[in-house]
Amino acid sequence: MSTNLARRIIPCLDVRDGQVVKGIQFRNHRVMGGIIELARRYSAEGADELVFYDITASPEGRSVDSDWVSSVAEVIDIPFCVAGGIRSVEDARKILQRGADKISINTPAVQRPGLINELVAEFGSQCVVVGVDSVLQDGHWVTRQMTGIPEQMQQTGHRTMDWIVEASQRGAGEIVLNCMGSDGTRQGFDIGQLTEARKRISIPLIASGGAGSASHFVDVFIQADVDGALAATVFHNNKVPVPALKQMLSAAGIGVRL
C-alpha cells in the first residue's frame, strides 16, 4: 500500500425508499435520516467520500433509483460512490452521468464476473468498486449475495479471499470488504479477516462493519493497513464525529486529510 496517500474516512448511507436506514447484521433496519441532509452534513464535517447503497435494488431486480444521485451531486463537493443493482455498462453510465464519481457492484459481479471487466474497460478502474459481503462458515470466509433483504440472502459458492483476488485481477480499482459478522455490532472491525485480505491484494482495501468507537478506526488502520474505513451508525448518531475522529487519527500518526 502507498504510504503517502491519506487514509479515508467514509460514511456509508444505506438507502431504502428514499431514506437512509441502518440495521444490525443486515436486519431490522430503522430510518436514520434523509439522504440529502446527511450527505450535506458529512461533506461539511470533512468526510473524504460517501458511499450510498440502494440496499433493496438487487433483491428487487432493479437498478438504483438515480433521481436522488443528481440531488446529492448538487449539494456536496466530495467524491461519492453509488451501489445497488448495477448490472450493465448502461446502468453504470446513468449513475456516473448523474454525478457519482464511482459505482460499486456486489451481487451483479458475483452473478456475472465479466461485468467487472466490462465496467473497467468503459470507465477505468478508478470508477469501479467491488463490494464483498463476507461471513465465516466452517472455518472459511465465504461470500453472500442479495444481502439487502435478509429473506433473499444466498450463498455464492465463492471463498472470500479467492473472490477478492479475482476481482482485483479483473481490474477493480477498490475492494470494500463488508464483514457481516461485525456489521452493526460496534465491537470493532474484523482485523483478522481484513489482515488476510490485505496480504492478497495491492489495490485499495476499505474496511466495513463493526465500528463502535474512534479507537476502532485507529486499530484497523494500524493493524490491518487498510486504505479507508467505512461506517454508518456511529456517524449517523454522531457517536464518533468525523472532525474529532480525524484529529485522533492524526494524533496517532495516521495520515488523514484534515
Side-chain angles (χ1 to χ4, degrees):
M1 192 191 118
S2 171
T3 53
N4 61 354
L5 289 175
R7 311 291 176 119
R8 286 176 278 149
I9 297 299
I10 308 169
C12 168
L13 296 88
D14 289 342
V15 174
R16 188 180 67 189
D17 303 328
Q19 297 276 358
V20 175
V21 299
K22 188 67 189 94
I24 294 176
Q25 294 182 332
F26 292 56
R27 296 172 184 271
N28 303 322
H29 291 94
R30 57 197 173 90
V31 173
M32 306 300 290
I35 297 170
I36 303 306
E37 64 181 274
L38 282 170
R40 193 183 263 128
R41 181 184 123 195
Y42 292 134
S43 178
E45 286 181 356
D48 295 296
E49 59 188 78
L50 301 178
V51 176
F52 295 88
Y53 287 113
D54 186 333
I55 59 172
T56 55
S58 277
E60 290 176 355
R62 60 177 176 80
S63 186
V64 173
D65 171 10
S66 58
D67 288 344
W68 56 261
V69 177
S70 313
S71 304
V72 168
E74 286 168 11
V75 301
I76 68 172
D77 56 4
I78 57 173
F80 71 101
C81 177
V82 173
I86 297 168
R87 289 184 171 76
S88 67
V89 166
E90 268 318 300
D91 288 345
R93 183 175 284 114
K94 274 182 205 156
I95 301 299
L96 293 167
Q97 285 178 340
R98 292 284 182 117
D101 300 273
K102 305 176 187 177
I103 49 94
S104 179
I105 52 174
N106 187 328
T107 296
V110 168
Q111 294 174 345
R112 192 168 71 81
L115 177 61
I116 302 171
N117 305 67
E118 292 167 18
L119 293 170
V120 169
E122 188 71 21
F123 305 113
S125 286
Q126 78 287 347
C127 281
V128 182
V129 179
V130 173
V132 179
D133 293 329
S134 177
V135 66
L136 191 63
Q137 180 183 308
D138 301 330
H140 297 282
W141 288 294
V142 295
T143 65
R144 292 282 184 268
Q145 60 182 333
M146 306 278 204
T147 52
I149 297 178
E151 300 71 35
Q152 292 188 32
M153 188 157 38
Q154 301 169 0
Q155 299 188 30
T156 65
H158 287 293
R159 285 194 179 178
T160 302
M161 299 304 152
D162 295 341
W163 175 235
I164 64 172
V165 168
E166 180 178 340
S168 73
Q169 289 171 342
R170 288 180 178 274
E174 189 165 291
I175 300 289
V176 175
L177 183 52
N178 302 313
C179 303
M180 293 179 66
S182 306
D183 179 74
T185 64
R186 306 187 213 174
Q187 300 299 304
F189 292 97
D190 187 340
I191 302 285
Q193 184 172 185
L194 290 159
T195 302
E196 286 303 310
R198 176 78 285 166
K199 290 175 188 169
R200 288 169 169 79
I201 56 171
S202 57
I203 61 173
L205 173 65
I206 309 300
S208 172
S213 69
S215 64
H216 291 152
F217 290 86
V218 174
D219 292 344
V220 78
F221 285 124
I222 291 175
Q223 296 176 36
D225 194 30
V226 295
D227 300 78
L230 181 150
T233 308
V234 293
F235 294 140
H236 297 338
N237 64 19
N238 222 25
K239 183 165 190 275
V240 178
V242 173
L245 172 59
K246 287 196 160 187
Q247 292 290 350
M248 183 172 172
L249 291 169
S250 181
I254 296 160
V256 289
R257 183 180 64 88
L258 293 170

